[in-house]
Each structure stands twice: as structure tokens, then as C-alpha cells.
Amino acid sequence: MMSDLTKLTLAGARDALKAKEITSNELTGAYVKAMEGARGLNAYITETGDKAMEMAKASDAKLAKGEGGALEGLPLGIKDLFATKGTLTTAGSHILDGFVPPYESTVTANLWRDGAVMLGKLNNDEFAMGSSNETSYYGPVINPWRRKDSDAKLVPGGSSGGSSAAVAARLCLAATATDTGGSIRQPAAYTGTVGIKPTYGRCSRWGIIAYASSLDQAGPITRDVRDAAIMLGSMAGYDEKDSTSVDRPVPNYEAALGQSIKGLRVGIPKEYRVDGMPAEIDALWTRGIEWLKAAGAEIVDVSLPNTKYALPTYYIVAPAECSSNLARYDGVRYGLRVEGKDITDLYEKTRAAGFGPEVRRRIMIGTYVLSAGYYDAYYLKAQQVRTLIARDFANAYAKCDVLLTPTAPSAAFGIGEKTSDPLAMYLNDVFTVTVNLAGLPGISVPAGLSSDGLPLGLQLIGKTFDEETLLRAAYALEQAAEFKAEPKTWWTA
Amino acid sequence: MSVVYSMQHRDPRDEDLIKGATGDWEIILGLEVHAQITSQAKLFSGSSTAFGAEPNTQVSLVDAALPGMLPVINRYCVEQAVKTGLGLRAQINLKSTFDRKNYFYPDLPQGYQISQFKHPIVGEGTVIIDLAGGRSVAVGIERLHMEQDAGKSVHDLSPGYSHVDLNRSGVALMEIVSKPDMRSSDEARAYVTKLRTILRYLGTCDGNMEEGSLRADVNVSVRRPGEPLGTRCEIKNVNSIRFIGQAIEYEARRQIEILEEGGSIRQETRLFDPKAGETRSMRSKEEAHDYRYFPDPDLLPLVLQQADVDRIAANLPELPDDKKARLMSDYGLSAYDATVLVGEAATADYYEAVMKSGSKKRDGKIAVNWVTGDLFGALNREGHTIEASPVTPKQLGELVDLITDGTISGRIAKDIFDSMYKTGRDPLEIVEKDGLRQVTDTGAIEAAVDAIMAANPDKVAQAKEKPALAGWFVGQVMKSTSGKANPQVVNEILARKLGISSDN
Amino acid sequence: MWVTQTVLKNQNKGTLMSVDQDTVRRIARLARIAVRDDELPALAGELNSILHFVEQLNEVDTKGVEPMTSAVDVTMKMRDDVVTSGNLQKEVTANAPKSEDGFYVVPRVVE
Ligand SMILES: [Mg+2]
Ligand SMILES: [Zn+2]
């Protein structure tokens, strides 16, 4: 019975708790046990089982009285980029050694407000810089999925690799994640889970450790589209502590699900059909188009001519912002400190020891592109191209309501397979990064298996603040795809 | 700041030139003044700005730059910047942006200062400075932008370590950048003085230089008259008007000396040491600056509505230049007197209260002399502010009236003023109680004159020969009447009796 | 159709500028990251390959295009001038590697 509890979806568990068929104590206990049994996946940096059981107890008291919020008693995993009051928060970096925030991020505070239970802090690429969760100081996360007839360890995608692996391996009901260039959608695609990055400004960034401020956005990774709608409804909302947060009401996202997509105009951007993309991804995309057409959608060909410039634009803008955002990690007020003969020596030693190679690389690139004489050629140019990319989407949306694309150019790859070539790694985000540059909402839905038996995802991209249409279309896609595959639980001790 | 700005053309005045060993040199000065906005809370956080608190007690999570913290701008600070811009008769930019200035320093927790680089909230304006001899010069304002202050390091708490206090970190500053329009240390001092006056009138900065609410970076260069601009050095954070003058004098001479010896000036940041009276290179900041400015992605563009600017403009107080012109025309004051009065709004207010109290029309000139003479003297001596003056404007007005209508003599008035200052009593009450009314009764004065002439026949004879000696008799009469005799009447009677002209 | 793999392979054609080891040292210094001399060649190589990759943007005609300043099209809200935080000395110094009497402590900074 206990192991079955982790099979429930978030919505299923919610309904079972409300109906008093189960208790949060049982449910949370099952997850704490699953979490402990799956340490080999390295999904959690910090497990907070005791805290979880306490929170579950409080939730049960509320539920017994017929009270409680939208997520009452539901155990979640939290990406370690979210500051959690009193709980170690590391961003997957050595430089935040021992850092215990005296504050709670707005997004997680919203979840606790609604009654959710915290299981622990999920692993991620260091400062969310990576596409495979291999840059974490706490080591790589192992994807619960394996290729057919192989026990090679695969990456769970990144940077929210702990989140995607934990949801796929049933180590939490759902997880928070963040997405700067694809870090929610790409790991979701690699693990057969659903990941939604809402419109920039929809979720507060307050208390989320910043990577690239103009691109970072929080969202959930979940078992299915309904769970994503429920999670997003709780995470989203205006926050006066974040100047880039947008003051508009949060709709009932769950209510959008199941509504017909008849007449919905689905744009197919021709520039996403890139050379060198595995045929099975292309085929999956075509199947997706057919499914939506069959559900009544109108398929429209659109063009996003500047798509090929998105990745280079991203690799100017994001490093530039990160070089500045990460200047605060200097060994003075928190985290790691390596003593030096003077303050400059202290800074240099601390930051050399505290940041891993990928973070150092991006800080260096960012420092360079902002430095005297290069700003116009790189940063200004990139922000201009960004305007053009956003304009492409605006033009496309004159003809359609959502866009359908593959989420990633391949299925999950092996650990260590791409670490030697940063650029090859960057290509994983080629389909997702445009969405961040334009500030749009995007969702990845599992849509099939590769010939190796690995999950593949399709991405839907919506209009600004039109997550309802996006979720409606995603739900329709999910219904049509009927993705039921699960990873075999090889990892349990 | 390092912006390229235009400067006004001015023919050098001979008295401003520095005579070097090889000829004349002209000093070119531009100032960057950092003025702390008088707000309750910081520019981007809800911490208090109060001065003098225990270390790190006025530091929010945002000010300490904890991970994930974000800035949210203080509306009041924005309005104060706009108000100041209007007071500087400057262009208000309805759209401005915030940029990050990146550098590492222990008192800069974020690793960057949020400032306005590309698009400041205020553009070009003008400040009229008032100089000796009634001379005025218009100094161009290049821009005004908002930015965060840094924290403070204490270096003497334990050997080998600095202690960092972030209480000031994030306090709102206005950086007011002048054009290089000043040509002497006098002009620079007059500029800061005038700027401080304007800020205080507006109430946007308390101008307290001791607490660091106002401090200046002084850009100094020298050139041969008529030649292109020389290389400048920036003297950082000078925190008194006197030091500004000293720093400029020293720095200009230092540069001239180098140039005259065939050397060249290295553009650098320097520090003024008031104890040694010299400027020194700041070696710690010597390293090549590359601030990597870029728009702060945590903040959106700051957009103002013209209606909001208009509302602030409509509520602007009368500015010093306007007040000066009005005082001159309303009360017949000289430019000099009017300048002295408008230096502090409270002084001008006091003066106007003197002129407006009571029903009598008063002579503006007599009143200004009392305010800037005896009153200022007493206030200075006693260390009182004009707001705390024991003599009220109404009382000073009454004193002026008593002089004007001949009730008391000017000499007696000084004693009465001292008594008013000490006791707070009304002047008329002092006159009556102490019997200080001026004697204008010719009979009584004649009697006094006759008595003195009778007692000093030899002096009478001498005075008839030499009318200048009549003054001795005036003094004796005033003495015998305890100073109450109307001096004019005394003069007339004496002249008649001695048979000499009364207008010597 | 565009070709991702080709993008990567054509990196060595015409480029804006190329980063040498001195530049890497200067950048590392600006970023306050200690770099050993023996790390410089590899770092220069990595930075160059990334820079060459992003220099594709030179093909794009951006004349007269406004740079994007924000991903959301709203104006900034402002807060009231009210003190909402204070006396957090303990909280803000709790994580400090070295602190004393409420101060953060660093090696002496000479001016
Ligand atoms: Mg300056
Ligand atoms: Zn400044």
C-alpha cells in the first residue's frame, strides 16, 4: 500500500486527502522512504524528512477539520535555487557552503501558504548553469530512465535535473524548478515529465538565487499537465518585492483543462526543423501536429526567421547578467571564504575555489562582453537581436494562438558524453531558449519514446500571460499522446 | 562619472589666473556632488537612513545582497530627484533607466552599484553662483542621476583587519554633475554653497557635509589660457567647502609644477588629506577601471508622467535666485544684502517677517543691517540658529520703528537690542522701564549744552577757531544725557551757540 | 533550414576579435577569479570558441533596432518611503565567515 501512494498524481493525492482516503502522514512517509531509498540518483542535496513529517502532521490536523489550502498535505521537492528559511540552500555551488537563509523565497512561501509539505532540496546545475545537471558541486543527478538493454547512466537534463529525476522516479509528487534557457522544459523532456515555464513576470523571482535576471523564471515539473496547472496556480502571483513581477490576477489554470481546442490555431515554425536533428524527433513532431489537428486545431505554417540567432544571443545575455549577479559571492557576508593576503587575494581565491568550471567560464564570457570597448559589439547587439526574436513571435502570433515544436534536439544522453565540449552542450537548449529571450510561456509534454526507449517531449509555446490556452493545448496533446511509460525502478537499494 | 560634456566659453579673468614660473595658467573645474536624498528609507530597500546607528542594524536582506534579493524603488526618492532637477532649472527625463556599475569592494555588497549611466532622470540645467563684488556666473549642470551609496569600512578596530558596516549601503544619492565651467577655487566654493542652498530650499538634501550628506568629487585641470583642456585629476569625496578650496589650490599648483618642469599629468583619482593640506594618489583604486555598465535587469525603466512632474513643479518653493530678485525689488535691497539673506531660507524668512510684522512700513535697508549685523553677530556669539533667535522678527521690527520715529537713538538701540537678546523683552518695554527715550526737547538739550559751555570756556574758544573740535561738546552732551539726547538736535544747538556751520 | 552542427564547425572563419592569454588574465582579474598561468591556454581556447560562436550575430542587420530592456512590457511600480526593515544585524551577519561586534571582518583595506 505504502509504495502505491507514490503512484498517485498530485491531483489524485489531493483528492484522496480531501476525501480522507489517505493521510498526509502516510503519503509523506511514503515519499520520505522513497527518497531515502533512491539516494543513488543523487536527486536531493538536502533531505528534510523530519520537517516533512511535521508539516504533514499539521496538514492532517487541518484536513481533519475540513480545512486546508489547495496543496494541503502534498509533499514536494524544491530546487536548491529557492531560498528556504532555516534550510541549507546551495544553488549546487561550493561557494554557498553552509548557507542557511534567514528568509523564504516568495514562490516556496506561496506553496507553504497553500499547505504543501517540503521533502527537501533538489540538486541542480551550479547556479542553474548547465543542461545536464553535471555542473553541480554535489555531483551529477542520474536519470531514472535507461536506454533499452543498457545500464549506462544518463543525464536527467538540466539545470533542474534534480527536479525532473525526482518527479520521474516518484521521489516527490511535484517539484519546483527554474528555467533560464530551457531548464524546466528540457529536463522534463528527458524524463517523461511535464514542465512549464510561465511568462516572465508571472512568478516572483524574490528569494530565487539569480542566474540571469531577465531570463530566469520559476515553474513546476510534474507528472502530468493537470498537476502543472495546480502547481503553477499556487506558485504564481504578483509580488511587490520583485519589480519585474507583473500585477495581474492568477486565473484558475486547472479550469482551462479539458476545454476543446477546436479552431485553436497551432503555428508550426519552419525554422525549428533543423538539419542534424534525429529523424525520430522529426517524426514525433509530425505526430504531434496530427494529434492536434485531429483534436480540431487548425495548423498554420509560421516563420521565426531569427531562431538561429537565439542561442548566440542567449550566450551573450545570460553570461553578462550572471557575471554581475554572481559578484556578490565574494567570501565576505556568507558562504565559502578562502583567506588571502589582502582583500583582492581573498576574492580571487574564494571565487576560484567556490565556482566550478562552467560557472567560471560564463562569468569570464560575461565579464568580457561587458568590458570597455566590447559592450556595443556583443551585449548591445544581442539585446537588439533579442528585440528581433521577440518581434518574430509577435508576428507569428498574428496568425496563431500557440506554437508546437520539439522540446530538445535529442533524447537524454550519457553522463560525461558532452562535458568536454561546452558548445555541444549548449545546443541542447536550441529549441527552448527563444522562449526565454522573448519572455513567453512554454511547456514540455511527454509525447513518445525514442527507439532506445527514452522519453521525448514536445513543446508548446504560448502568448504572453496566456498560460490558460497553453495548458488547454498541452492537455489535449497529453490526451492524444497517451504517454504511459515509466522508468523501471532499478535504483532502489 | 566620465561623460563627455560641453563647456561654456569664458575669457579668463586676470585675477583668476595662476602666475607660474613660465607664464599664466588657467584652472578648469568641474564638480560631481553627491547629495543624500532626505528620505526615511533607502532607495531600493525598506531600511532606515538614520545617521549614527549601531553597525549593520539598518541593513535589510536586500542591502546585505543576500542571494535572490531584489531592489524595489522608493517613489519619494524619485520625486525628490525630480524636484531637485526642477530647482536646477534642468530637463526632466520622463524615461530613465538604472544601470549596474560593477566593481569589487567590501563596502559594496552586491558587487555593483545601481546607478543611472546612459539615461539619467535629469538632464542639462544651470546654477547661478554669486561671487564677491556682486559678480554672478552661470555654471552648467550636465546631469543629475540617482544611485546607491556604499557602506563604510572601519580600519582601526583590530590590526590587519577592516570592519565593514553596511548601514549606509543603499541610501539614496543624487549625483549632480556640473560642466567644467568653473575657473577658480572661489567659484567652486560658491558653486557648492549655492547648490547646498538650493537643496536646502527644496528640502531634498539636508546639506550636512559633516555627516557626509553632501560631498564633492572635484575634477581639476590646468591649461594655458586659450589652449585645449588639459588632463584632469579627480579629487574624491571632499567633505567641506573649505577643503574644496584648499584641495583645488593645492592640486592646481601641483599640476602646474609638473607641467612647468616638462612633465605630464596622469589622469587619476586623488584624495585630499586635510591634515597635510595636500592631495594624494589613491593607489588602491589605481587599477584600470572597467565598470562594465549595463542596464539592471532587476529593474524596469523608470517612467514618469508629465502630470506628476507638473504637480511637483507647481509645489516648488520659491528658489534662492527668485527670492533674491524679489527682495531687491520689494525692499530696495542691494544685490549683496539680498544674497546674504537668501543664503539660508530661514534668514530670508526672518527678514521678511521683520518687514511684514506690525502696521508700519519699514525701511528695508535699516532692517537688513540689523539682521545681518547685530542679530547675526549675537546668534554667532551665542551659537543660536536664527530659528531659535530670542529676538523675534516682530520685536526687531519694533526696534527699527523706534529708531525711525526718533524714540531712541541708534546708539541706545544697540544697548536695547542686547537687552532684548538677553531677556526676550519687547523694545518699547525696555525703553520705558529704563527711561531710554531719546531727548528731542530742545529746551532740555539747550540747558545741557549751556552747562557744558559754561564749565569749559577755553574749549569754547578753541572750537570757535576750529569747528572740528565741536565733536568734543557732542560727546559731553551725550554723556550728560546718558546717550538719550537726539544727536541731530545736539548738533544744531551747538552749531548755533558756537556760531559755526552744523554740517561738519 | 539552418544547420546547427555547421554553426559549430564553421567557427574558425572570420571573427571580430580573438582573446589572447593576456586578455584572459585581465578578464579573470576583473572578475576576481584566480587563474594559474598553466590554465590560460585552455581558457583562451574555450573563450574563443564561445566568442566565435556568438559572433554569428554580426550577420544580423540591427540598424535602428531598439535593444530589449525588459522581457515584460510594463512600467516599474514604486514603493512608499516607509521603513519596513530593521535590526536584522544578527540575521545579516549569521552566515558571515568572519564577523565581530556586528561588523563583517575582512583583511585590512588600505586607502
Ligand atoms: Mg565621481
Ligand atoms: Zn556617484
Side-chain angles (χ1 to χ4, degrees), chain B residues 35-263:
Chain B
Q36 179 182 332
I37 297 176
T38 51
S39 60
Q40 298 299 309
K42 294 181 181 178
L43 183 53
F44 293 114
S45 85
S47 301
S48 168
T49 58
F51 182 80
E54 289 295 302
N56 293 314
T57 51
Q58 293 175 176
V59 178
S60 70
L61 306 172
V62 175
D63 306 318
L66 285 159
M69 293 300 99
L70 298 170
V72 181
I73 199 164
N74 182 330
R75 179 189 299 109
Y76 179 79
C77 293
V78 172
E79 289 170 351
Q80 297 307 92
V82 169
K83 197 172 177 184
T84 306
L86 293 168
L88 300 175
R89 311 200 185 287
Q91 165 76 35
I92 306 299
N93 296 324
L94 294 180
K95 186 172 174 184
S96 63
T97 52
F98 287 93
D99 300 279
R100 292 184 183 178
K101 177 181 182 177
N102 296 284
Y103 65 95
F104 287 87
Y105 210 69
D107 65 11
L108 190 74
Q110 297 167 124
Y112 54 84
Q113 177 195 36
I114 306 177
S115 182
Q116 296 191 294
F117 182 59
K118 269 228 170 109
H119 305 288
I121 187 164
V122 175
E124 294 190 334
T126 310
V127 170
I128 309 290
I129 59 172
D130 310 292
L131 298 147
R135 189 168 68 93
S136 290
V137 170
V139 174
I141 297 296
E142 180 67 29
R143 56 187 278 152
L144 174 155
H145 65 256
M146 287 183 276
E147 63 185 28
Q148 302 175 294
D149 204 351
K152 264 197 158 58
S153 301
V154 188
H155 305 296
D156 50 11
L157 292 182
S158 63
Y161 291 99
S162 291
H163 287 62
V164 182
D165 170 17
L166 300 179
N167 280 346
R168 281 196 72 90
S169 164
V171 164
L173 302 178
M174 298 178 280
E175 180 172 332
I176 303 165
V177 182
S178 86
K179 300 196 178 205
D181 285 351
M182 287 154 276
R183 297 290 179 271
S184 67
S185 59
D186 283 350
E187 291 185 2
R189 287 189 294 122
Y191 169 74
V192 177
T193 305
K194 184 61 173 283
L195 198 57
R196 187 172 58 169
T197 299
I198 293 170
L199 294 169
R200 283 182 171 163
Y201 267 58
L202 295 166
T204 56
C205 169
D206 66 21
N208 188 332
M209 296 186 85
E210 270 148 46
E211 293 181 2
S213 307
L214 193 79
R215 44 198 208 258
D217 298 343
V218 189
N219 287 287
V220 183
S221 68
V222 298
R223 66 172 177 189
R224 298 289 191 189
E227 284 188 0
L229 285 179
T231 304
R232 65 190 166 87
C233 290
E234 181 179 12
I235 311 165
K236 280 268 181 212
N237 275 333
V238 191
N239 63 357
S240 96
I241 290 178
R242 193 159 56 92
F243 294 162
I244 290 172
Q246 291 172 1
I248 292 168
E249 293 294 331
Y250 177 88
E251 178 61 17
R253 289 203 156 73
R254 184 188 73 88
Q255 292 185 13
I256 290 168
E257 215 166 279
I258 292 171
L259 293 170
E260 292 198 323
E261 281 166 9

Side-chain angles (χ1 to χ4, degrees), chain A residues 191-211:
Chain A
T191 55
T193 56
V194 172
I196 180 167
K197 180 204 93 79
T199 310
Y200 184 84
R202 181 72 287 189
C203 288
S204 168
R205 294 185 297 113
W206 194 88
I208 299 174
I209 295 174
Y211 161 22

Side-chain angles (χ1 to χ4, degrees), chain A residues 88-118:
Chain A
L88 179 72
T89 299
T90 69
S93 181
H94 187 30
I95 208 155
L96 274 170
D97 258 12
F99 176 64
V100 178
Y103 52 94
E104 185 76 32
S105 84
T106 298
V107 164
T108 48
N110 290 347
L111 296 173
W112 316 142
R113 172 203 65 203
D114 287 348
V117 168
M118 179 166 89

Side-chain angles (χ1 to χ4, degrees), chain A residues 16-353:
Chain A
L17 282 169
K18 285 259 148 78
K20 304 204 167 71
E21 291 161 16
I22 58 169
T23 64
S24 179
N25 185 61
E26 292 162 355
L27 184 67
T28 305
Y31 274 108
V32 169
K33 203 168 158 230
M35 190 165 68
E36 286 168 356
R39 287 188 181 142
L41 295 181
N42 200 26
Y44 283 90
I45 291 175
T46 305
E47 294 175 8
T48 55
D50 291 347
K51 186 183 166 79
M53 295 314 294
E54 265 172 50
M55 291 174 91
K57 195 173 165 193
S59 284
D60 279 334
K62 280 191 186 162
L63 288 162
K65 285 187 271 178
E67 294 168 4
L71 299 176
E72 199 64 52
L74 301 173
L76 307 177
I78 303 300
K79 188 177 184 180
D80 212 15
L81 222 57
F82 293 78
T84 43
K85 189 172 181 172
T87 299
L88 179 72
T89 299
T90 69
S93 181
H94 187 30
I95 208 155
L96 274 170
D97 258 12
F99 176 64
V100 178
Y103 52 94
E104 185 76 32
S105 84
T106 298
V107 164
T108 48
N110 290 347
L111 296 173
W112 316 142
R113 172 203 65 203
D114 287 348
V117 168
M118 179 166 89
L119 289 167
K121 303 299 291 289
L122 293 161
N123 205 340
N124 50 249
D125 275 303
E126 185 178 4
F127 284 104
M129 297 179 204
S131 308
S132 63
N133 213 115
E134 291 169 288
T135 70
S136 170
Y137 175 70
Y138 296 89
V141 175
I142 317 298
N143 193 332
W145 290 84
R146 285 174 167 178
R147 292 189 188 110
K148 225 187 298 175
D149 308 322
S150 160
D151 57 7
K153 289 177 175 171
L154 304 181
V155 304
S159 65
S160 309
S163 303
S164 65
V167 172
R170 304 184 180 281
L171 312 180
C172 58
L173 266 176
T176 65
T178 62
D179 189 318
T180 305
S183 285
I184 290 176
R185 292 156 290 154
Q186 183 255 20
Y190 282 11
T191 55
T193 56
V194 172
I196 180 167
K197 180 204 93 79
T199 310
Y200 184 84
R202 181 72 287 189
C203 288
S204 168
R205 294 185 297 113
W206 194 88
I208 299 174
I209 295 174
Y211 161 22
S213 309
S214 76
L215 303 163
D216 295 346
Q217 187 59 206
I221 290 181
T222 56
R223 304 262 165 81
D224 63 17
V225 174
R226 179 173 302 280
D227 288 2
I230 296 167
M231 280 289 283
L232 184 61
S234 190
M235 293 167 74
Y238 172 62
D239 181 6
E240 59 184 23
K241 291 185 289 190
D242 175 0
S243 299
T244 62
S245 159
V246 176
D247 190 2
R248 35 158 85 212
V250 179
N252 181 350
Y253 294 125
E254 200 180 354
L257 308 182
Q259 292 175 23
S260 163
I261 60 159
K262 213 171 180 80
L264 185 80
R265 297 170 306 164
V266 178
I268 308 300
K270 64 171 192 266
E271 290 80 6
Y272 280 60
R273 204 170 290 278
V274 301
D275 187 23
M277 184 160 82
E280 57 190 9
I281 300 253
D282 211 3
L284 180 82
W285 192 11
T286 307
R287 227 176 304 144
I289 294 169
E290 293 310 321
W291 286 332
L292 292 178
K293 203 192 274 176
E298 185 190 322
I299 304 299
V300 196
D301 285 327
V302 295
S303 171
L304 300 170
N306 290 289
T307 299
K308 66 183 275 197
Y309 301 115
L311 212 48
T313 299
Y314 175 84
Y315 277 99
I316 292 172
V317 174
E321 292 182 8
C322 101
S323 72
S324 177
N325 283 336
L326 270 59
R328 65 188 57 200
Y329 305 101
D330 60 5
V332 174
R333 292 166 316 286
Y334 41 78
L336 181 76
R337 167 152 167 177
V338 180
E339 295 293 344
K341 64 176 175 0
D342 56 29
I343 185 72
T344 301
D345 196 35
L346 180 150
Y347 287 153
E348 292 185 343
K349 284 185 172 145
T350 299
R351 291 165 61 80

